[in-house]
Amino acid sequence: MDRVIFNEDHHAFRASAKEYCDRSLVPRMEQFLEEKTIDRAAWLEAGKQGFLGLDVPEEYGGSSVGDYRFNQVFAEEVSKVSASLSSCFGIHYDCAAPYFVDLGTEEQKQRWLPKFCSGEYVAAIGMTEPSGGSDLAALKTTAKKADGGWVLNGSKTFITNGDMADLVIVAARTDPSKGAKGITLFVVEEGMEGFARGRKLDKVGQTESGTSELFFEDLFIADDNVLGELDRGFIHMMERLAQERIGAAVSNIAHATQILHETIEYVKQRKAFGQSVGSFQYNKFLIAELVTKVEVTQAYVDNGVVAHDEDRLSAVDAAKTKWWSAHVQNEVLDACVQLHGGYGYMNEYRVARAWRDARVTKIWAGSNEIMKELIGRDLGL
């Protein structure tokens, strides 16, 4: 079915995003896989094309388009290339940007945002801890007041872009007596004494994503690097999770749709018992179900994007789009592997890598179980 939420400007922007992907990402995928990171050149080119400052006002180097559908279009085009690349770029321009724009002081915006938009600075968000998982209120990283600033101690893990980030938004406990109401956000910058990166984590999938551990040992952070209000960090995070989750949903369904279309072409060509695999009734019915499911999910996600763009996407509806799109993506890609037969289990085949890459989407941005818990509570259960 035709998607009806885009206009001519969105279509023109999609063409530009696709050109960037075809020129700067697709030819270098093997390099990214081997190095387990996206090199700085790809970031700089994305910045040059204006893809990293979509939510940033023009005076700080962005385009401030004021239309989330442009974020959606860029995420979709990158997701068609790799779910991993989409997560790396998404954390930067879609998740971190609102923190800097909404919460930053004038001085902070001038200091960080121009290079954020150009790709000279890469951003990460340090929320998850080794013992915390989805429980953001249980942070153990601490920041204690000192003369002119704060002393940060603790660690974070599973941090996307953690291997190369120049700016890391770190959530730390500033008042242990207040629980979730005693958390503050800080911006840790590359080169600060006491800031160290751990190894690149050896993940099941998303190989191209430079995911790592971060360590803070007696790291002094000046008051100028406090982001937002003191002790309101948990609220700041909660207020911005809806965009992170609808963004995850956008990438989930775009990735699944792309691999499904590639699989349909594959089963048209693959022969068994003298006919194409796709012509077997079971496979034909299965593919019909999958195509319908992704189109229904796409319509649901598109509706969520429009709601977010109009500032009426609730946290519960964002949770619905996140968990359902992750569920559908994994179901579709598992079927795509099966339709490829033994070749679907080979790393050289894109479908195998996509299948691995998708699994984490049921865990990050709040696990699917947590999403269902939020939905259940909203129903009075």
Side-chain angles (χ1 to χ4, degrees), residues 176-247:
S177 68
K178 293 183 179 180
K181 296 181 180 179
I183 294 171
T184 303
L185 302 180
F186 299 87
V187 178
V188 173
E189 300 182 62
E190 165 66 14
M192 285 184 168
E193 186 175 354
F195 172 38
R197 308 173 199 269
R199 59 194 173 91
K200 287 184 185 179
L201 298 175
D202 185 15
K203 307 185 297 295
V204 170
Q206 303 233 1
T207 307
E208 312 96 298
S209 170
T211 309
S212 68
E213 303 161 311
L214 304 178
F215 300 99
F216 317 105
E217 184 175 357
D218 294 332
L219 168 61
F220 178 78
I221 301 181
D223 287 327
D224 290 344
N225 279 43
V226 174
L227 189 62
E229 297 182 47
L230 186 67
D231 292 336
R232 285 181 59 85
F234 185 78
I235 294 173
H236 292 329
M237 290 187 287
M238 292 301 101
E239 289 173 341
R240 284 152 191 85
L241 277 177
Q243 177 154 319
E244 179 178 353
R245 286 168 180 164
I246 190 65

Side-chain angles (χ1 to χ4, degrees), residues 189-319:
E189 300 182 62
E190 165 66 14
M192 285 184 168
E193 186 175 354
F195 172 38
R197 308 173 199 269
R199 59 194 173 91
K200 287 184 185 179
L201 298 175
D202 185 15
K203 307 185 297 295
V204 170
Q206 303 233 1
T207 307
E208 312 96 298
S209 170
T211 309
S212 68
E213 303 161 311
L214 304 178
F215 300 99
F216 317 105
E217 184 175 357
D218 294 332
L219 168 61
F220 178 78
I221 301 181
D223 287 327
D224 290 344
N225 279 43
V226 174
L227 189 62
E229 297 182 47
L230 186 67
D231 292 336
R232 285 181 59 85
F234 185 78
I235 294 173
H236 292 329
M237 290 187 287
M238 292 301 101
E239 289 173 341
R240 284 152 191 85
L241 277 177
Q243 177 154 319
E244 179 178 353
R245 286 168 180 164
I246 190 65
V250 165
S251 296
N252 290 343
I253 196 61
H255 183 232
T257 300
Q258 177 65 24
I259 302 303
L260 177 57
H261 287 166
E262 293 178 14
T263 300
I264 291 171
E265 292 305 311
Y266 177 80
V267 297
K268 287 179 181 178
Q269 302 300 322
R270 182 185 172 197
K271 304 291 184 181
F273 304 102
Q275 62 187 101
S276 68
V277 170
S279 67
F280 298 154
Q281 186 183 64
Y282 177 84
N283 290 341
K284 188 185 300 182
F285 283 13
L286 172 62
I287 292 169
E289 291 175 8
L290 297 176
V291 167
T292 305
K293 188 168 288 188
V294 297
E295 290 189 8
V296 169
T297 304
Q298 184 68 73
Y300 186 58
V301 172
D302 284 351
N303 191 56
V305 167
V306 171
H308 181 58
D309 202 39
E310 297 175 352
D311 198 28
R312 55 182 178 82
L313 180 69
S314 69
V316 172
D317 285 343

Side-chain angles (χ1 to χ4, degrees), residues 40 91-92 96-97 100 108-117 119-126 159-170 186-192 195 197 214 216 225 227:
R40 187 70 64 159
I91 286 292
H92 180 91
F100 292 116
Q108 289 173 337
K109 293 175 184 178
Q110 292 182 2
R111 179 161 36 125
W112 294 321
L113 285 177
K115 290 186 178 181
F116 175 97
C117 293
E120 294 172 82
Y121 285 170
V122 172
I125 299 180
I159 306 305
T160 301
N161 296 338
D163 67 320
M164 66 184 304
D166 305 279
L167 304 171
V168 184
I169 300 169
V170 176
F186 299 87
V187 178
V188 173
E189 300 182 62
E190 165 66 14
M192 285 184 168
F195 172 38
R197 308 173 199 269
L214 304 178
F216 317 105
N225 279 43
L227 189 62

Side-chain angles (χ1 to χ4, degrees), residues 1-154:
M1 297 179 69
D2 291 336
R3 299 169 68 187
V4 298
I5 68 169
F6 302 117
N7 60 35
E8 291 183 2
D9 290 339
H10 300 119
H11 294 313
F13 181 74
R14 187 182 297 278
S16 297
K18 184 179 186 306
E19 181 183 0
Y20 163 74
C21 292
D22 290 343
R23 182 183 64 250
S24 300
L25 300 182
V26 173
R28 302 166 67 194
M29 283 302 298
E30 291 303 319
Q31 173 194 337
F32 298 153
L33 285 164
E34 182 178 343
E35 296 177 356
K36 297 184 178 181
T37 193
I38 312 170
D39 69 15
R40 187 70 64 159
W43 285 95
L44 292 172
E45 183 60 26
K48 182 179 178 181
Q49 297 299 320
F51 298 128
L52 303 181
L54 296 174
D55 282 341
V56 178
E58 292 181 15
E59 58 264 37
Y60 307 115
S63 55
S64 190
V65 293
D67 183 342
Y68 190 75
R69 289 170 294 181
F70 286 98
N71 295 44
Q72 178 185 17
V73 166
F74 185 58
E76 288 178 351
E77 291 306 309
V78 177
S79 296
K80 293 175 185 178
V81 179
S82 160
S84 184
L85 300 190
S86 182
S87 68
C88 291
F89 284 120
I91 286 292
H92 180 91
Y93 82 91
D94 200 45
C95 296
Y99 283 90
F100 292 116
V101 173
D102 298 344
L103 304 176
T105 65
E106 181 62 25
E107 185 276 332
Q108 289 173 337
K109 293 175 184 178
Q110 292 182 2
R111 179 161 36 125
W112 294 321
L113 285 177
K115 290 186 178 181
F116 175 97
C117 293
S118 69
E120 294 172 82
Y121 285 170
V122 172
I125 299 180
M127 294 184 186
T128 307
E129 297 187 349
S131 61
S134 296
D135 188 2
L136 297 180
L139 296 178
K140 293 185 178 179
T141 296
T142 62
K144 295 184 178 180
K145 196 71 182 78
D147 186 23
W150 301 80
V151 177
L152 190 68
N153 280 283

